[in-house]
Amino acid sequence: MQQPKTHRQFRYRRSPDQDATTTAHHPVVVIGAGPIGQSLAIDLAQRGIAVVLLDDSDRIGDGSRAICFSKRTLEIFDRLGVAAPMLGKGVEWRKGRVFHRDRELYSFDLLPEPGHKMPAFINLQQYYAEEYLIERATTLEHIDIRWRNRVTNVTQTDGVAELTIDTPDGPYLITADWVVACDGARSPTRGMLGLAFEGEQFEDQFLIADVKMTAAFPTERWFWFEPPFHNGQSALLHKQPDDVWRIDLQLSADADSEYERRPEVVRPRIARMLGHDDFELEWISIYRFQCRRLKSFVHGRVIFAGDSAHQVSPFGARGANSGIQDAENLAWKLALVTRGDAPASLLGTYDTERSEAADENILNSTRATDFIAPHSPAEMSLRNAALALAGRSDFAKRFVNPGRLSLPTSYADSPLSTPDVDTWGGGPRPGAPLPDAPLRAANGESIFLTDALGSSFTLIAINAEAPEGLADDVAVLPVGRDQVFTDADGLVERRFDGGDGAFYLVRPDSHIAARWRTFDPAQFNAALARAKGGSR
């Protein structure tokens, strides 16, 4: 087996808090310096909020782990200043193929229309993503990263959270207004608060193998039901950077995981799949599906994000992508609350909105798992009937579920959204994520709509006169005919139903808060107040 990639090690440094005569207090403490914790810390720091980021390790984790990063997540990473190196290193893909035995059932394209800055997906080993995030975080003055700082206890008293932290120099205490637990699926913080997951744990097991080889496979997602090379179970193939390929192979529920992960057992399985044994094994892991979540993500002064709040099966690339979107949803709200610009109740909408996203991901993940690994002979018969029919009739292909791939959640019932008062033929509704489109700036530069947005609320005026005198924290973005930003290919007008003029109030996380055909100051002010957690 090939030696694993060597990752950077980070020095433990003694913090001034350990020598303070009184307990140090911080606005925000984030536990866990993985992709979710790093993204949250960077987002808060870019908004001027000081963050202490604690991690019990001193290095990036081994193994590729999460590899599929979606278009929406890449747009977030772009705003955080890390998309460029990720795109430079990652493998872009948008197409996939689904096979039954040795026959292709169908193919799909995840981004069939032009005019988007980001690709549908990139494949990138998680350790690279973490490296780029850490490099970015170290350039921001508002982030204090503390390696080998293990939180051993969290309590809440007198409106603050108190953390006991163990280090190589012994324990110390700090307090914080807010603590965000991004400490993973086994979250020690969750255990400290006595919280448990609700949901389903599946018995089926899957083998993950990262294989280094030179191969002519296209950069697509290939999924097999009942492949001839793997004993009638399912298999998945993805390309990663560095000539590494991710292979997932379904195992039986009663398979001995210690035996199955041995290289001498894994190699023949992979060789049967590839038709040769000219490869090196880089990483091997075995997992069981879980589709579970906390009942609530906010517990007083402690908030949970990512795998510490919810877990799904890996089919559909919903784990890391959902966690990054948790961080973005929380960051702007936590910044407003910390600065005193919004009530603490605004953080309750993080729970409302991201619970909706978790439920949506768990539903899709559970359905995919049930289809890929049926629980009973009757379910297996139905699955196989759908596969057989899909091979003959196009309409049946939509019944085949190899893992619906991650899409951002539209917060349809969010308390922050103002319902439409006008008639719309299309365009993103309140709660929906912002579509991207190409623009041309006044100086002739070609940019994208996502580039033109800042980190605050934005009012997009499409083919309409931009209003003046708005609140200081609202940017105005005029787009369309004879505007500051020209609708380069007419895609803004088309995607936002803005041919006759339109106004969209966009939240700092690029979800729509409200929209109007004509601008009314009173309606705008009411919608802005509502989007900040005020009266409805």
Side-chain angles (χ1 to χ4, degrees):
M1 184 164 169
Q2 182 170 303
Q3 290 297 312
K5 174 181 168 65
T6 302
H7 301 295
R8 282 174 53 195
Q9 189 168 3
F10 304 97
R11 278 180 47 201
Y12 161 77
R13 292 182 174 85
R14 189 174 178 85
S15 162
D17 291 353
Q18 293 167 259
D19 300 314
T21 56
T22 59
T23 301
H25 182 78
H26 300 276
V28 180
V29 172
V30 176
I31 305 173
I36 284 75
Q38 290 280 358
S39 296
L40 177 62
I42 292 168
D43 208 338
L44 287 167
Q46 290 186 167
R47 299 176 190 280
I49 304 300
V51 184
V52 174
L53 180 58
L54 306 173
D55 198 275
D56 59 2
S57 182
D58 61 358
R59 68 190 66 208
I60 293 169
D62 293 328
S64 61
R65 294 170 290 159
I67 64 167
C68 296
F69 295 98
S70 70
K71 174 179 179 290
R72 180 73 189 109
T73 297
L74 293 170
E75 289 170 351
I76 296 169
F77 283 153
D78 197 26
R79 187 173 52 76
L80 300 183
V82 294
M86 291 184 181
L87 290 168
K89 184 67 177 178
V91 174
E92 294 186 15
W93 66 276
R94 56 191 274 189
K95 295 183 178 181
R97 300 182 187 274
V98 178
F99 301 86
H100 184 207
R101 301 191 178 106
D102 57 356
R103 178 184 181 187
E104 182 177 332
L105 291 181
Y106 63 90
S107 62
F108 57 85
D109 188 335
L110 295 170
L111 199 63
E113 59 179 11
H116 298 271
K117 181 178 183 180
M118 293 298 160
F121 274 89
I122 65 167
N123 286 349
L124 179 72
Q125 293 92 326
Q126 183 173 320
Y127 48 72
Y128 283 125
E130 290 187 31
E131 262 185 42
Y132 301 140
L133 286 163
I134 290 167
E135 288 172 1
R136 172 62 177 157
T138 57
T139 68
L140 300 173
E141 61 177 332
H142 293 298
I143 300 180
D144 178 2
I145 307 178
R146 302 181 185 179
W147 302 104
R148 298 184 69 185
N149 275 240
R150 181 169 63 91
V151 178
T152 58
N153 194 38
V154 178
T155 59
Q156 301 185 68
T157 56
D158 301 325
V160 298
E162 182 179 85
L163 297 89
T164 304
I165 303 167
D166 195 23
T167 74
D169 290 333
Y172 70 104
L173 295 175
I174 60 173
T175 59
D177 292 323
W178 302 101
V179 174
V180 186
C182 304
D183 49 351
R186 295 183 178 87
S187 177
T189 310
R190 200 172 57 231
M192 293 170 203
L193 270 62
L195 303 174
F197 275 140
E198 299 176 351
E200 184 176 2
Q201 179 164 325
F202 294 86
E203 294 303 313
D204 303 277
Q205 299 185 89
F206 267 73
L207 166 74
I208 298 177
D210 278 357
V211 173
K212 189 171 182 64
M213 63 179 179
T214 302
F217 297 119
T219 54
E220 299 174 346
R221 180 188 195 259
W222 284 13
F223 190 98
W224 288 265
F225 292 99
E226 300 181 323
F229 54 77
H230 185 52
N231 202 25
Q233 295 176 306
S234 62
L236 178 67
L237 177 70
H238 267 287
K239 184 178 183 180
Q240 304 177 65
D242 306 330
D243 289 325
V244 176
W245 297 78
R246 162 67 58 82
I247 296 173
D248 288 41
L249 297 174
Q250 184 182 359
L251 303 176
S252 62
D254 58 357
D256 182 336
S257 60
E258 291 303 318
Y259 171 79
E260 296 289 353
R261 64 162 48 97
R262 294 178 183 173
E264 64 269 25
V265 176
V266 175
R267 282 196 67 88
R269 291 186 185 277
I270 304 300
R272 283 195 297 272
M273 177 181 185
L274 300 175
H276 64 81
D277 62 358
D278 186 17
F279 60 85
E280 293 291 333
L281 292 172
E282 187 168 271
W283 182 62
I284 300 170
S285 183
I286 289 179
Y287 63 86
R288 291 184 187 271
F289 301 146
Q290 296 187 33
C291 292
R292 306 189 297 171
R293 55 163 287 199
L294 287 174
K295 185 176 182 180
S296 173
F297 300 163
V298 179
H299 294 265
R301 295 276 166 174
V302 182
I303 304 169
F304 291 83
D307 283 351
S308 71
H310 45 75
Q311 296 172 27
V312 294
S313 76
F315 295 115
R318 296 176 181 276
N321 287 298
S322 180
I324 299 299
Q325 290 162 37
D326 285 351
E328 185 189 45
N329 185 285
L330 178 59
W332 69 272
K333 296 173 182 178
L334 199 52
L336 286 178
V337 171
T338 299
R339 289 198 297 262
D341 294 332
S345 59
L346 176 63
L347 298 178
T349 69
Y350 164 75
D351 178 59
T352 301
E353 293 180 343
R354 294 314 295 168
S355 287
E356 180 181 354
D359 289 342
E360 181 180 296
N361 284 320
I362 287 171
L363 176 63
N364 280 286
S365 187
T366 301
R367 286 175 174 172
T369 303
D370 287 342
F371 194 88
I372 292 165
H375 293 170
S376 68
E379 290 180 354
M380 178 68 79
S381 296
L382 286 172
R383 196 280 301 272
N384 288 344
L387 290 172
L389 188 59
R392 299 191 300 268
S393 303
D394 287 343
F395 84 91
K397 293 174 182 176
R398 67 178 183 271
F399 301 133
V400 176
N401 190 347
R404 309 287 188 223
L405 285 153
S406 174
L407 291 171
T409 298
S410 292
Y411 308 128
D413 299 318
S414 173
L416 303 185
S417 298
T418 298
D420 286 336
V421 295
D422 300 311
T423 301
W424 295 83
R429 302 179 63 180
L434 181 87
D436 203 4
L439 303 176
R440 187 170 295 106
N443 63 2
E445 179 185 3
S446 294
I447 64 170
F448 283 86
L449 182 59
T450 49
D451 293 322
L453 295 177
S455 60
S456 61
F457 284 90
T458 302
L459 182 68
I460 304 177
I462 304 170
N463 294 326
E465 185 177 350
E468 298 179 354
L470 302 184
D472 291 340
D473 60 347
V474 179
V476 179
L477 182 62
V479 178
R481 300 181 291 268
D482 302 321
Q483 297 284 19
V484 175
F485 292 94
T486 303
D487 185 4
D489 299 320
L491 291 177
V492 173
E493 184 174 306
R494 190 182 317 158
R495 290 173 182 168
F496 288 80
D497 189 18
D500 296 324
F503 296 87
Y504 281 81
L505 177 60
V506 183
R507 303 178 351 177
D509 61 357
S510 298
H511 281 254
I512 307 300
R515 60 180 181 169
W516 305 273
R517 286 296 184 191
T518 57
F519 184 79
D520 180 278
Q523 290 179 354
F524 168 80
N525 289 331
L528 180 62
R530 179 171 181 158
K532 293 179 179 180
S535 59
R536 300 191 290 278

